[in-house]
Amino acid sequence: MTIQVVPLGAGQDVGRSCILITIGGKNIMLDCGMHMGFNDERRFPDFSYISKTGDFTEMLDCVIISHFHLDHCGALPFFTEMCGYDGPIYMTHPTKAICPLLLEDYRKISVDRKGERNFFTSANIKDCMKKVIAVNLHQSIMVDDDLEICAYYAGHVLGAAMFYIRVGEESLVYTGDYNMTPDRHLGSAWIDKVRPDVLITESTYATTIRDSKRSRERDFLKKVHDCVADGGNVIIPVFALGRAQELCILIETYWERMDLKVPIYFSTGLTEKANHFYRLFINWTNEKIKSTFVHRNMFDFKHIKPWERSFIELPGPMVVFATPGMLHSGTSLELFKKWAPNPKNMIIMPGYCVAGTVGSKVLAGEKKIQIDSFTSVDVNLQVKNLSFSAHADAKGIMQLIRQCEAKNVVLVHGEKSSMGFLKSRIMTEFGIPCFDPANGETVSIETTHVIPIEMSASLLKRHLIRQSEAQEPDMSPPSSSESSDDSTEAFKKSLPAEVRPKDTVLIQGMLVIDEGKPIRFEEAEEVLQKSGLAKHKVRFEVRKAYNATALRAAVEEADYYQSMGPESGGSSEWDSDAFALDLVYVALQSAIGNHVALARDGSAIAVRSIRIRAPTMAEEKEKGGLLIGWDYQDEDLATRILSVVTLALASTR
Amino acid sequence: MDGDEAAMDDEEQMDSEAAMDEDDEEDEESDEERTPTIEALKALLNRLSGLSNDDGLRLLEIARKKLYTESNKGAKVLLIHIVQATLEATDADGRGPIEDLLNQLQADSTEVRVQVYDTISYIVKIDKLPRQSLSDINTIRGLITTSIAGLKDRHHRIRSAVLQLISHLAPALKVAKVPISQSTTGPKAGYSQHDIQVIVSNYVTDPEPRVRKNALKALLDLHRQGFKLGLLMYDVAILALDDDYQEVRLQGLELIFILSGIYPNQTVQNPHGTALQALRLVDDAFVRICDAVTDSVMLVRAKACSYLGKFRSVGYSFLSQTFSKQIMARLKVDVAPKNLAAGPAQKLAQKAKLIATPEGDQDVTAQTVKLLDSGACGAFVHGLEDEFQEVRSAAITSICELCMHNPEFSLLAVDYLVDMFMDDIDHVRLNALTSLCKIGNKAPITFDTEQLQIALGVLEDADKDVREATHRMLEVITMATQDGMTSFLESLASNMRRFSEDQLSIYQCIRAVGRRHGPFVEVLVPEILHLDKMFLPIEENVEDMLYGGHLILIFNAAIPNPIILKQLPKYAFKHYTYLRDKYPNCFPEPTEIPCPGTQPLRDLAAALTMTIVKPNTSDMDVDIASRHKGSRRTAPQSAAVSSAYETTIAAMRVQTEEDAETFYENVLHNMDRIHLLARQRGSNNRVMLRQQIAACQRDLHYITNVHVKQARAAEFASMYLDCYDILVQIKDTCSSPSFIMMAPILSAQLFRLSYYMDHGFLGLDPTAKVSVGHFRVLANLVWFFGMVQKRSHGGSSVNSSQRDMGMTKEYLQSMLQQAIKRVSDLQFQMDQPEVDQDRIQRHRVMLGDLRIAMLKAFNSPTTVEIIKLMGSIVKFVPMEIDVRHLRLHRISAEITRPIMNRDVPLEVHSTFPFMVPVEGIIHHVRDTQGVAVQVTFPGNVVRYYYPPKDHFTVIEDDVDRDDDDLENEIMDDLVPSRTYRLRTSIEIFPDAAWGTVTPTDLRFTLTRAFQPDLVGHDEFICRFAEEITFQNRQQEQARLLQGGVGGIRSGSSGSNALATNLSSTASFMLSRVATSTNSSPSGGSSSGLSLSSSQQNQSTLEISKSTTYYVSRKAPFEGLGTTL
């Protein structure tokens, strides 16, 4: 069986996450995001790859959205309402609640500010959300009879989830974005040992190992404090939800502790709503928040006030959290334009910036930034890049791979160069295949095909019992130590190394493959009875040739030295076969005589179903040698005997 | 009825689901007649507790027989339960039942077989299986072999039960008391230790996780019972660490840890190492447990974190990695420069249009990096960042433990611990604070400004415990900069404003900080006292809490840096004297400050001389010593004596511990001489004896102060000598007429002292207890004769005739009865096996004689007999106590709140109750049962308040005692003694009888209840004596108070007089304490036996010094009075 993975977006890139997978004949779209770096049609994934004719509903079994960031869900209304996908969409409850707000915000900026056309409308967003099915963590959902999905906690932002997808015996985990270290308001990602065939993981920070969180926080606070103490303004571009809350909690407690009076603002009307969502979905936050919120809600900020546009003219130091986080539009860009020329001011970039955005240019250290075709800004303010990203670092990614014990890894959502590094590390450290497909490139992963077979419990039980009973005589070594007279005598002692649990059971039976029915494994007799087939007996026979003359010479020589009896000379009725049989008998007696009963009659030796005999028929006789025959049940014993016989007869040569 | 059956079947079905192979023989389940059997057996099982031995044996027999005939498996299981229960309750031998049980192994039911194995392991566990003879050993061997055969069973429960049984059986084999030559009848006779380990460890790979868990558990059990686990088990444990099931991983962690303790220096190959590197096993184990810190299950993470702290010999290179996420340097890793934004790398990055790595991140690109198995990297970073408080808390505890053993490590750790002060969960914060405090006590910690800032931030915490822990923590740190001190003072000031109830704790903190930061304080003095060269200083309000704190800081800083004192204005020294009395523990002793003799220091010296008269920081023992001294000597005398002591002590300044040891030996030798002297009769001997005792006590007192190890024993010996002293007094006076007056007091003192010796110390052996109890016999006799003589005298004076004599007879008999009971009790106590019979032999005989004499007197209470009895007092020889071998702990307590407030009494409304917060620390008690706050009201009315249990918090376990084991040998119960903190508040109702003009004093004392020998009787005696002394005391008090008032009047201009007045009051208070007893005189009628003690059958013993708290009563409706 094959699992196919095609990234439509986020392949060796960050932004417009959209990955198509084919697993067990099902087609699933994972995430449906937009790209922040583009303002043309490239911002949405190329859906024509799925279907040229637009019958997406037939092609896709479902769409799964991992979290509400626009690069993971931004293209969803476009896809459902404008492209016409009508199938099920799955996301977690918080995602479903917050996602429309962000989409609406995005729409406003694109349409109202930039005046774009052919964009989805508010109605589109609403209609789109109606198709969404919300899921809970760890809730197994059967999309159809074969396809099962299950969400796991991913940290990253409120409601972010990793999805486990299973069809039959094949399984896949899509991580979305995740964070392996808990932060001030969210927990860490966690997944069961589901052992998926394929793990599709983000790799934003593939080459990074993050320092202790506390030192990062301290660093951040110190920088902010120093700047405002100096009379400068601090702008912190953030997204409305996620890092924003983290940093707000941080700054709020610091302000409280240091008793600072410098005003803090939080732009965008989403703040109120965002905090409302955090209160609503308190069980999606981490243990700390949950256990303390009874006494104090962390999201009730005392020092942080909502931003108004007129404040931009206010003198004096202030700290502003402004959206969006990549400086590509909105308040943050506006403030940046205003404050950039003054070297006293500071911009703190707490997260990742997609290439092409103003944010990334700022981070790259450009001194003059072209914002659009009309305006350019001198960048004199201090630029600080602090790692507050809620993505897993290299160690975290490795941890997740180990935690779920993936068999194959596909890297997405990262830069090509760093992916290469991580890929090589995964391959050497886990010894598992790893892929980093580019957009539109198909990765096919062969999985072992498991065919389920039904078997009745009674059959299994019978064999279990048989095994446990059969083992006792077999296991006991030749008990030569029956000298002691104490009570232990009664119990047979087995070798300590051999007393161990049995994890394999040998079962004999017959496979019944019937058209349309599942394959069954049944007792042979039963099957014969049912089907009315006759039972055939299979018997093997092997000829063991030996050198008769050498044998005779050896025997005579021995006789000569041994008995010197007159009879020995009488070679009238010399039967080499009888001698050979004798020889074999003696050899067998010493080799296996202790375990199995040997029977000897005139021209044959019988051991269970095995018969060693001299050839009787004429043509057989001509060929010479001994004939050894056995039933297939005694295959093991027969091989043993064969080797003994070979050895015994070889000695005559 | 059917419900039970069904429930049982349900259980079986669940099991069968798990193992897929349940036997299908439930054919009799619908059998109606069986259920009554089961019901009956169940009922029987529930009523087994009160069974006598014989009944039990009979029941056992029946159950054993029934086992063979019963066919219902439910009933069988119950029968096996009964066998188990009866075996435990009776003295039956376990062998027979085990045979029967083994027979049951043929049963088809899994349930029954599991129960059989469980019961056998239980029988082995409760030691019902004899293991003396060879055949016993063979039985055990046989059992082991049988059970190992059982391991082949298909059902996981059976395999688990068998593994458990093996882990119980195998050690039985080991400790069998059979000579080795006999027990090893041949190598083939049974499984060796090694074999058993191998077998058990094989099952760590069982397909069923529960069996895997139990196999590991069995290995751990074997280890606990003295098996030496083989090195082979290390691989087994590693296997378990990778298990899918958390239970297995948890056990695996423990196993790995144990093995790392057994084979620390064994080298193992690290399979992950790129090069073939051999690690020490302990290091390898450490790294593996570090790995488990990132486990997906919280429990495993928490346990891993807590194990990390238990490693002792891990290499520093591994330890240091736990705090760094940087890849191990050993692996030769090329880590990119930490911040690309600085240096030429920046330009490179710019060229390539790459975004520089954010600060705080590291870029790794080298191909040799091991991302996953990078050793112990960042284990504690992960642990401290964990989402769950359990993990974080465990990590903190572990870091603390590691720091205690690796000073280097603590340098790394401090920063992280300081960060934890900001944790959201208060008990994590608390843990971090106390941990850092512990580390700081071990090695000094220096805080830079930032760390200090964080630490000071915690002072604002709403939780009182956290605040106090912060104070304690601040005591041990050193500030790096001058600014630190300023902000420290600022935040303490705001702390005091916000939480005035923290005052004492803050003062303690300031005291310690002052002592550490002499130079910093020096600079600050003008600022904090508002001194200016241009102006004269303005005297500050001495009651200002903040000012008090400043003075504490300054005077303590003067210890390392006496120059400071030069800057101080004169009033500061006066205030010092005053505040030092008010907060005795916060200010340094004058002697502590080196005085070079400059002018301001002379002022200081002058100020100090005023306070020297005050009987100083005496401990409880001084109280007790002066308690009865005070009763017969006047105060000036005792002062003179105490100053004399001081000179002697100065003369014999003992420098080293060894000297102290030899000195102690000498003292004990002197004590032996006292015993010798005591045996010789003759009145002139007594004078010598008393001199000896006085000398000896003086020496013992000295030892108490200097010799840490023997201090408690010396205190004990000193009390013992007190008793001796009383004995001598009794012998002196018993023939004189003053005996009538003295007897009750003396006997009360004796009772008191002996009870104190009995119950105020931990670690008395039974012999010593008997010796102490012996004194009470004497006390009882003294009381008896005192009463007899009083009666006879009183009878004549009241002029009553025959009728009264008859009363006396009955009275005599009843009193004698009490005495006889006491003697018999003591005799019984003497007969206990633990008592050293050789040493008490002589006294036993004497006691026997005494008892006979008493019985005679009881039968015919004639004067002749009683006078005969009188002789026994003269003959009385106390039992010796071997002080040398006592390892004692003194149960003691101190009250930290309220503090004495003579000068500012609390104003209360006369009609409304008010709350007095009481806090204290109680040392060396096993539990807080019976600890009470005793409040003595004016008029000597005593009340006890028993605080609820949750008002006590454990501060520490006394684990660091070196002589712990010795004490435990003596003590049956191994409950460790602990130090508790009491924090409670007491509601007090003002009494109309309290004076309105002068402030009323309430005395708070911590007491502990105990069981007296004769309930009621002893208390009564003490109370009676108290009553007499109280009357004396009141007269004295009146006299003294007049003197005190006069003093104030005459010297009202200067504070010198105030000081003397204070000190005299203090000494007065002390002597008051000395007289207080453990019971409350109710109403004053001395003949009634009714008790007002709050708990029956119990008396109480003071364990702390008492604190006096003054309350002045407002007149009711004061305002109303003026308007009218």
Side-chain angles (χ1 to χ4, degrees), chain A residues 213 218 223 257 425, chain B residues 359 367 369 385 422 450:
Chain A
K213 193 179 72 190
R218 225 195 268 182
K223 288 205 168 105
R257 194 168 75 231
R425 296 322 306 153
Chain B
E359 289 168 46
Q367 289 299 307
V369 179
E385 280 180 6
M422 296 187 287
E450 199 182 342

Side-chain angles (χ1 to χ4, degrees), chain A residues 153 181-184 186-188 190-191 193 195 205-219 222-223 253 257-258 285-292 296 298 353 355 359-361 363-366 383-387 393-395 398-399 402-403 405 415 417 420-422 424-425 428-430 457 460-461 464-465 468 471-472 475 480-481 484 486-488 491-503, chain B residues 19-24 135 138-139 141-143 145-146 148-149 151-152 154 159 185 187-191 195-196 198-199 202-207 242-244 249 291 294-297 301 325-327 338 346 350 353-374 377-378 381-382 384-390 392 415-416 418-420 422-425 450-451 453-454 457-458:
Chain A
Y153 192 75
T181 40
D183 52 33
R184 282 187 179 253
L186 294 171
S188 58
W190 172 85
I191 193 163
K193 239 179 214 187
R195 299 195 170 90
Y205 287 92
T207 56
T208 306
I209 289 181
R210 207 156 285 152
D211 207 351
S212 133
K213 193 179 72 190
R214 314 223 174 227
S215 65
R216 278 180 278 142
E217 287 175 356
R218 225 195 268 182
D219 217 31
K222 199 167 149 46
K223 288 205 168 105
T253 41
R257 194 168 75 231
M258 304 302 282
T285 58
N286 69 10
E287 192 232 8
K288 286 189 212 174
I289 304 263
K290 280 184 233 172
S291 54
T292 53
R296 188 171 74 93
M298 289 268 200
C353 282
S360 74
K361 287 177 194 158
L363 280 179
E366 289 181 27
V383 178
K384 299 289 170 193
N385 182 8
L386 289 177
S387 168
D393 63 354
K395 204 177 171 186
M398 298 300 263
Q399 260 178 39
R402 182 167 65 173
Q403 221 175 70
E405 295 195 357
E415 279 154 18
S417 54
F421 165 74
L422 188 65
S424 71
R425 296 322 306 153
T428 49
E429 281 182 40
F430 291 106
L460 176 63
K461 254 188 206 171
L464 277 172
I465 293 168
S468 60
Q471 219 149 22
E472 312 229 343
M475 291 302 288
S480 53
S481 62
S484 53
D486 50 34
S487 56
T488 53
F491 309 103
K492 284 177 196 142
K493 183 194 154 192
S494 22
L495 286 177
E498 281 164 5
V499 183
R500 50 165 62 250
K502 295 175 286 285
D503 40 12
Chain B
M20 276 193 352
D21 55 354
E22 179 48 47
D23 323 62
D24 32 6
S135 68
N138 284 331
T139 319
R141 283 222 183 90
L143 262 176
T145 322
T146 324
I148 282 175
L151 279 177
K152 293 203 182 83
R154 287 165 292 124
R159 291 202 297 272
T185 46
K188 296 245 166 67
Y191 290 98
D195 288 347
I196 288 171
V198 170
I199 289 170
N202 281 341
Y203 279 82
V204 176
T205 56
D206 196 276
D242 274 338
D243 204 276
D244 280 11
R249 292 202 295 273
D291 253 4
T294 54
D295 196 278
S296 57
V297 179
R301 291 203 296 269
K325 274 189 153 182
Q326 304 209 4
I327 306 296
K338 198 177 176 194
Q346 157 85 17
Q350 258 185 357
K353 285 277 173 196
L354 275 178
I355 295 168
T357 320
E359 289 168 46
D361 287 357
Q362 298 148 18
D363 238 10
V364 279
T365 43
Q367 289 299 307
T368 44
V369 179
K370 280 275 178 193
L371 284 177
L372 201 57
D373 297 297
S374 37
C377 269
V381 176
H382 283 298
L384 292 178
E385 280 180 6
D386 200 275
E387 184 185 347
F388 292 92
Q389 45 172 313
E390 289 88 345
R392 295 200 299 275
D415 211 24
Y416 288 86
V418 169
D419 267 336
M420 293 312 286
M422 296 187 287
D423 199 277
D424 302 308
I425 309 294
E450 199 182 342
Q451 288 167 328
Q453 204 62 252
I454 295 170
V458 198

Side-chain angles (χ1 to χ4, degrees), chain B residues 375-631:
Chain B
C377 269
F380 279 130
V381 176
H382 283 298
L384 292 178
E385 280 180 6
D386 200 275
E387 184 185 347
F388 292 92
Q389 45 172 313
E390 289 88 345
V391 183
R392 295 200 299 275
S393 199
I396 291 172
T397 316
S398 281
I399 290 172
C400 174
E401 276 178 56
L402 286 173
C403 285
M404 301 309 270
H405 296 88
N406 304 283
E408 274 179 288
F409 186 65
S410 61
L411 294 177
L412 292 174
V414 166
D415 211 24
Y416 288 86
L417 285 179
V418 169
D419 267 336
M420 293 312 286
F421 292 170
M422 296 187 287
D423 199 277
D424 302 308
I425 309 294
D426 47 6
H427 89 246
V428 177
R429 287 199 295 271
L430 196 59
N431 195 357
L433 287 164
T434 44
S435 295
L436 200 64
C437 185
K438 270 189 211 160
I439 297 170
N441 279 327
K442 184 100 177 172
I445 308 173
T446 309
F447 268 13
D448 58 26
T449 323
E450 199 182 342
Q451 288 167 328
L452 188 70
Q453 204 62 252
I454 295 170
L456 293 176
V458 198
L459 281 178
E460 300 292 310
D461 205 288
D463 188 330
K464 184 168 184 185
D465 288 327
V466 172
R467 287 199 308 272
E468 278 193 5
T470 317
H471 295 147
R472 298 292 83 73
M473 190 271 303
L474 286 171
E475 282 174 16
V476 299
I477 56 134
T478 315
M479 294 165 203
T481 58
Q482 177 74 48
D483 301 349
M485 181 56 82
T486 321
S487 49
F488 167 77
L489 284 177
E490 277 169 15
S491 40
L492 276 191
S494 71
N495 197 211
M496 272 192 260
R497 276 195 294 277
R498 251 182 91 173
F499 307 102
S500 55
E501 69 267 30
D502 284 0
Q503 186 188 21
L504 282 177
S505 178
I506 291 173
Y507 277 6
Q508 286 292 326
C509 171
I510 293 178
R511 168 179 183 262
V513 170
R515 283 175 187 227
R516 274 172 195 268
H517 301 90
F520 292 166
V521 176
E522 186 186 345
V523 182
L524 280 177
V525 167
E527 191 187 323
I528 56 179
L529 292 184
H530 311 295
L531 299 181
D532 196 315
K533 284 200 177 111
M534 315 288 283
F535 306 103
L536 281 175
I538 304 163
E539 185 164 334
E540 305 214 15
N541 180 7
V542 74
E543 291 302 331
D544 183 10
M545 205 197 276
L546 187 59
Y547 174 67
H550 287 156
L551 281 190
I552 290 171
L553 184 75
I554 291 165
F555 277 98
N556 279 296
I559 296 172
N561 190 12
I563 299 298
I564 291 180
L565 296 180
K566 282 186 185 168
Q567 299 184 36
L568 295 185
K570 275 192 178 174
Y571 66 82
F573 294 103
K574 289 176 189 163
H575 291 170
Y576 163 73
T577 325
Y578 167 72
L579 288 173
R580 187 172 155 275
D581 279 345
K582 191 166 174 185
Y583 307 107
N585 295 326
C586 300
F587 281 93
E589 288 299 310
T591 46
E592 283 180 82
I593 303 174
C595 290
T598 46
Q599 180 51 42
L601 297 177
R602 236 171 265 145
D603 286 347
L604 173 67
L608 297 181
T609 41
M610 298 182 274
T611 57
I612 233 155
V613 198
K614 176 178 169 275
N616 52 358
T617 64
S618 49
D619 284 327
M620 272 294 290
D621 49 299
V622 183
D623 294 0
I624 287 181
S626 58
R627 192 167 295 177
H628 63 274
K629 273 176 201 140
S631 65

Side-chain angles (χ1 to χ4, degrees), chain B residues 639-784:
Chain B
V641 169
S642 73
S643 71
Y645 284 177
E646 255 141 30
T647 48
T648 350
I649 287 165
M652 329 178 282
R653 189 156 287 281
V654 175
Q655 293 294 340
T656 62
E657 189 78 346
E658 282 151 49
D659 282 350
E661 200 75 55
T662 45
F663 180 67
Y664 183 59
E665 277 304 315
N666 286 339
V667 176
L668 291 182
H669 189 68
N670 282 346
M671 273 183 74
D672 293 341
R673 284 186 56 204
I674 294 175
H675 286 300
L676 279 176
L677 266 174
R679 281 184 204 151
Q680 301 163 8
R681 286 173 206 159
S683 55
N684 50 343
N685 263 347
R686 288 187 194 132
V687 182
M688 250 173 82
L689 196 56
R690 289 193 72 169
Q691 278 171 354
Q692 274 283 353
I693 288 171
C696 221
Q697 274 190 325
R698 188 186 61 212
D699 294 345
L700 284 172
H701 179 64
Y702 170 64
I703 286 167
T704 314
N705 286 336
V706 293
H707 196 347
V708 185
K709 242 171 112 184
Q710 302 292 357
R712 301 287 90 78
E715 279 176 34
F716 183 78
S718 172
M719 284 193 202
Y720 179 74
L721 287 182
D722 283 339
C723 292
Y724 235 111
D725 194 46
I726 295 171
L727 171 68
V728 176
Q729 285 185 56
I730 291 167
K731 287 187 178 174
D732 273 347
T733 53
C734 69
S735 46
S736 70
S738 66
F739 188 62
I740 306 166
M741 280 305 289
M742 294 294 282
I745 297 169
L746 286 176
S747 79
Q749 276 175 7
L750 213 45
F751 269 125
R752 228 190 124 54
L753 273 170
S754 66
Y755 277 131
Y756 203 94
M757 287 158 81
D758 230 355
H759 300 281
F761 289 90
L762 277 184
L764 278 186
D765 58 29
T767 322
K769 282 204 177 216
V770 168
S771 317
V772 172
H774 194 216
F775 274 115
R776 287 198 284 272
V777 172
L778 173 69
N780 203 335
L781 280 176
V782 172
W783 165 255
F784 174 69

